[in-house]
Amino acid sequence: MPYYIQSDASDLILGRNTKDEFVIGGCGTTDWRKGADLFIIIANQLNIKYPHATIIFRWVGAFPGIELERLNYELRKCKMENKVFFEFSSCDLNNFYNSIDLFLLTSREDPYPLVILEAAKFNVPSICFDLVCGSKDFILHSNGGIIVPFLDIDRMVEEIIGFYNDINFRNKMGKNANDYLKSTHSKDEYVYNKFKELLKK
C-alpha cells in the first residue's frame, strides 16, 4: 500500500536513549486482531525470564470499555501494572514515538500497518510476527527490524532482549528503517508511481 509519510526532522528529538528505561511501544485499537492481549503475554514472559531488565511497554490507542477492562484485569492478575500501560488515543503521537526504543507490532492480521512507517520516521526499528501483515515487506526491504514466526512468544522475547542489550544494533536498524522510508514512502513520485502500477492492474 503506497502510504505517504511526510519526512520532517523537526519532529525527532535527539538523544532520547539517555533515559534508564527501555520503552517498547504498541499502537492501535485493543481488539483481538491487533493483539493487545499478546502485548501483555510478551511483556509477562519477558519479565519472568528477565526480571531485572528495565523495560516498560506502552500501548497508545485504547478506549474506555470492556476490552480495556479485560486487559487491565489481566495486568492485575500477573502483577504487571507497573510494566505495561494502555493509554488513550491521541491526535499528536510525536511524543509517543520519541519516547520509545522499539516498536512491537502484535497484530494477528493487518494489511500494511501505518504505525510501522510512523515508527521508522522517528528512527525506531520494529518487530512483528510473520505471515500476518505487509509490515514484513517493509522490514525486509529496509532491514529495519525483525520478523518472528507467528505467535512464537519465546522468540519474540529473545529478539526484544537483543535490541535491549545492543544499542548499536538498535540504532542501526532504526536508521535503516528511516533511510528506506525517506527513499520510498516520503517521496511523492514513489507513491504516485505505485498508485499508477496498481491502477494498471
Side-chain angles (χ1 to χ4, degrees):
M1 187 70 181
Y3 287 125
Y4 176 72
I5 302 291
Q6 185 175 1
S7 180
D8 186 355
S10 65
D11 290 338
L12 180 63
I13 299 174
L14 299 177
R16 63 166 176 244
N17 288 325
T18 57
K19 60 184 179 305
D20 293 332
E21 291 175 323
F22 183 88
V23 183
I24 295 174
C27 186
T29 56
T30 54
D31 59 279
W32 176 88
R33 185 174 67 88
K34 292 289 187 179
D37 57 321
L38 298 176
F39 199 71
I40 295 176
I41 292 170
I42 292 166
N44 189 49
Q45 289 302 309
L46 189 147
N47 189 57
I48 291 170
K49 194 165 186 180
Y50 299 98
H52 300 297
T54 54
I55 299 176
I56 65 169
F57 291 70
R58 290 184 62 199
W59 180 292
V60 172
F63 286 93
I66 188 62
E67 292 294 341
L68 183 57
E69 290 179 18
R70 288 170 178 162
L71 293 170
N72 285 328
Y73 170 85
E74 292 183 358
L75 287 178
R76 290 192 298 272
K77 286 295 184 181
C78 58
K79 296 180 172 58
M80 291 289 288
E81 305 106 304
N82 64 336
K83 293 280 188 176
V84 182
F85 304 92
F86 287 96
E87 304 168 21
F88 295 147
S89 297
S90 170
C91 295
D92 181 11
L93 291 175
N94 287 357
N95 289 334
F96 167 71
Y97 285 112
N98 273 311
S99 74
I100 66 175
D101 299 283
L102 176 66
F103 189 85
L104 173 59
L105 186 76
T106 53
S107 294
R108 291 180 169 93
E109 189 281 327
D110 227 329
Y112 197 73
L114 186 62
V115 287
I116 293 287
L117 307 183
E118 292 175 343
K121 177 182 177 181
F122 290 82
N123 289 341
V124 176
S126 296
I127 185 167
C128 73
F129 288 123
D130 196 6
L131 306 176
V132 297
C133 66
S135 293
K136 172 183 177 179
D137 296 331
F138 182 86
I139 290 174
L140 283 176
H141 293 148
S142 67
N143 192 26
I146 298 291
I147 301 161
V148 172
F150 184 57
L151 295 188
D152 190 336
I153 304 300
D154 290 337
R155 176 73 177 277
M156 185 71 84
V157 166
E158 293 307 315
E159 296 295 352
I160 289 172
I161 287 297
F163 280 104
Y164 172 73
N165 287 329
D166 191 342
I167 188 172
N168 292 326
F169 174 72
R170 184 167 78 243
N171 289 342
K172 182 177 184 298
M173 287 285 190
K175 185 178 185 304
N176 288 346
N178 183 262
D179 287 345
Y180 184 73
L181 178 78
K182 288 178 179 177
S183 68
T184 55
H185 296 278
S186 291
K187 295 181 68 174
D188 298 23
E189 184 178 1
Y190 171 85
V191 175
Y192 174 69
N193 287 335
K194 284 294 181 182
F195 268 116
K196 285 176 62 178
E197 290 175 15
L198 291 171
L199 288 172
K200 286 179 182 179
K201 293 180 181 179

